[in-house]
Amino acid sequence: MELALELFPDTAAVEDGALSIGGVRATELASEHGTPLVVYCRETIVAQARAFRAIDPEALVAFGVKAFPNVALLRLLRGEGLGADVSTLGELEFALHAGLRGEELLFHGNNKSDEELTAAAAAGALVVLDSAEEVGRAAGAGARRVLLRLTPGIKARTHQSIQTAHDDSKFGVDLDGALGVLRDALDVLEPIGLHVHIGSQLARVDESLLAVDRLAAFCRRCRDELGWTPQLVDLGGGPGIRHSLDERVPPPHEFARALVERLRGEWPEPARVALEPGRSLVGRAGVTLYRIGATKRSGGVEYAAIDGGMSDNPRPQLYGARYAARLANRDGPPEGEFRIAGKHCESGDVLLGRVALPRPRRGDLLAVPATGAYTLAMASNYNGVPRPAAVLVAGGEATVIRRRETVDDLLALEA
Ligand code: LLP
């Protein structure tokens, strides 16, 4: 059998062999909007948002904007009561554009510029201090209410590029130094909370629970040694999603719920919780559609090439990510295993090393699920390729939420 729909958004269906999402046929989406096209299912995003909100209705659920900075998406999430975690001036502007304000916004970054600190302060965002030297700079920029990011010394079992809380991490302040930073911050700012984020695409909750334990122990030290306790405890993002059938992860909202419960057990004093899911909010909601072009056999490998690749999804090259795929315009029993190559000028530009499909032919559509996070967000113009469009589908209608880039857009930057 071809890939079942379990990695796809909630509304994915196959009718007469053709894939539809949100009641819109993939063939129609591709002919109307071109390919590659990232198709987001509104219902799946809303369901994920509500599942996170249901963990604790009082909690601040802040979308990790880096997973897909998009104004329409931020508006949709804002309508569901979510805030945003931003880490650059650009992400802040996206969130402000979507109508988010004040303490619905958390401003992160290990090297915030003065301009960024000033903009975050002006927006009334909560600035998350990342180092001792930032205390004075944040105060100078007019920030007031801040959090401190802790580095609890945990090496999360995920790709090493997306671990963030190991001993020599570039992020945050280690637990030995954090008390001193907090003490300094109390002189010139109003520290209201603590933050921890141990990594991304986490498949197991145990290391995150350990991080919560260390955070709770640190809260006790703050109370005992500084007479200070956090009003806000931010447990970060990180729950993984399934990109392929052999990837196993707990449901993301259960992952997050376990952390919140652990915190309540280990640190029973009243504190509002914040969560910062990125991938788990939008990853499974997104499907990328590609058009198949050249096919060939080379050294015993059956190749099918798509009209995109590492410029619209660099995750296989960066993190060894493995995806699944199915044809979107027709169905049928697999007729072999195919290597899905991108169109870029290097051999490493392979989106899927091996996937069972009916024999792909020029003009077929390929659907790659679980591509809603960190794909368009990380897309480049390698080889002068314009970045894809994104549409939001629901109730049989598609709305463009990011227009396709054109070569003219690229030329507009040239001298
Ligand atoms: N909060 C902080 C402070 C973060 O640094 C991140 C992600 C998040 C929240 C959201 O994490 P999530 O829930 O999405 O795991 N480009 C990589 C992922 C980088 C994640 C960076 N920080 C990838 O494609 O796997």
Side-chain angles (χ1 to χ4, degrees):
M1 267 310 286
E2 256 201 278
L3 175 65
L5 293 178
E6 55 191 297
L7 302 174
F8 281 82
D10 297 340
T11 60
V14 175
E15 267 174 76
D16 305 329
L19 178 71
S20 70
I21 304 165
V24 193
R25 282 177 178 253
T27 46
E28 213 174 285
L29 289 167
S31 51
E32 179 99 346
H33 302 284
T35 51
L37 180 69
V38 189
V39 182
Y40 282 91
C41 169
R42 188 181 202 279
E43 206 172 299
T44 306
I45 295 169
V46 168
Q48 289 303 114
R50 290 184 184 171
F52 272 98
R53 291 276 285 129
I55 295 170
D56 173 356
E58 300 301 312
L60 169 64
V61 181
F63 171 52
V65 174
K66 51 186 82 67
F68 181 41
N70 179 264
V71 174
L73 173 66
L74 281 159
R75 283 200 188 110
L76 174 64
L77 294 173
R78 178 177 159 239
E80 292 297 321
L82 272 73
D85 132 26
V86 299
S87 57
T88 61
L89 192 58
E91 289 181 356
L92 175 65
E93 288 297 332
F94 273 62
L96 292 175
H97 222 76
L100 286 159
R101 291 290 177 269
E103 295 192 356
E104 299 167 317
L105 298 168
L106 291 149
F107 199 100
H108 285 281
N110 69 307
N111 185 26
K112 303 174 192 76
S113 67
D114 290 338
E115 191 189 9
E116 285 174 328
L117 284 170
T118 304
L126 292 168
V127 171
V128 185
L129 299 174
D130 198 85
S131 60
E133 66 115 45
E134 213 169 62
V135 172
R137 292 184 56 240
R144 204 170 58 85
R145 284 159 63 86
V146 297
L147 276 67
L148 174 63
R149 180 168 180 162
L150 305 175
T151 311
I154 292 169
K155 200 171 176 142
R157 266 164 302 179
T158 184
H159 192 279
Q160 71 168 31
S161 299
I162 50 178
Q163 297 167 337
T164 49
H166 46 292
D167 282 331
D168 58 353
S169 171
K170 72 169 182 170
F171 296 106
V173 180
D174 63 48
L175 295 175
D176 290 335
L179 215 59
V181 176
L182 212 45
R183 193 175 282 122
D184 291 348
L186 279 163
D187 289 338
V188 288
L189 291 161
E190 187 188 342
I192 63 151
L194 299 170
H195 170 274
V196 68
H197 170 80
I198 71 164
S200 197
Q201 186 55 20
L202 306 174
R204 303 180 52 139
V205 79
D206 51 352
E207 290 152 342
S208 298
L209 292 174
L210 179 61
V212 172
D213 292 348
R214 291 187 181 170
L215 174 89
F218 184 75
C219 289
R220 290 191 286 274
R221 279 191 67 193
C222 290
R223 181 189 54 198
D224 299 346
E225 295 179 38
L226 297 178
W228 177 90
T229 55
Q231 298 165 32
L232 184 68
V233 176
D234 185 338
L235 301 178
I241 64 164
R242 296 177 80 196
H243 303 88
S244 64
L245 289 176
D246 55 11
E247 207 165 18
R248 301 266 158 211
V249 300
H253 60 283
E254 282 176 21
F255 188 116
R257 181 187 299 277
L259 304 188
V260 174
E261 283 172 1
R262 183 70 151 242
L263 178 73
R264 298 291 182 213
E266 293 294 309
W267 179 250
E269 293 207 19
R272 188 179 185 206
V273 169
L275 298 166
E276 301 173 337
R279 187 189 325 263
S280 52
L281 272 176
V282 296
R284 191 172 58 85
V287 174
T288 309
L289 298 177
Y290 299 95
R291 191 74 75 178
I292 301 274
T295 55
K296 69 169 75 158
R297 192 179 169 87
S298 171
V301 174
E302 300 270 13
Y303 274 96
I306 50 170
D307 55 356
M310 64 193 291
S311 59
D312 59 78
N313 183 358
R315 299 195 67 260
Q317 291 75 27
L318 288 174
Y319 316 112
R322 285 184 302 127
Y323 287 91
R326 60 174 292 141
L327 293 187
N329 55 313
R330 62 187 174 93
D331 211 354
E335 293 169 318
E337 293 206 317
F338 301 87
R339 182 171 297 171
I340 307 298
K343 66 182 274 112
H344 293 281
C345 295
E346 57 186 81
S347 297
D349 178 29
V350 167
L351 182 61
L352 279 99
R354 218 161 62 146
V355 58
L357 293 173
R359 177 166 293 280
R361 299 190 288 255
R362 175 172 286 278
D364 276 337
L365 281 179
L366 189 78
V368 182
T371 48
Y374 303 113
T375 52
L376 254 191
M378 299 180 76
S380 75
N381 296 119
Y382 185 36
N383 290 138
V385 171
R387 291 174 298 167
V391 294
L392 187 68
V393 291
E397 308 257 325
T399 312
V400 176
I401 56 170
R402 163 88 73 89
R403 83 155 162 81
R404 184 173 301 284
E405 213 168 31
T406 63
V407 174
D408 282 343
D409 290 328
L410 305 187
L411 285 173
L413 302 174
E414 298 296 305

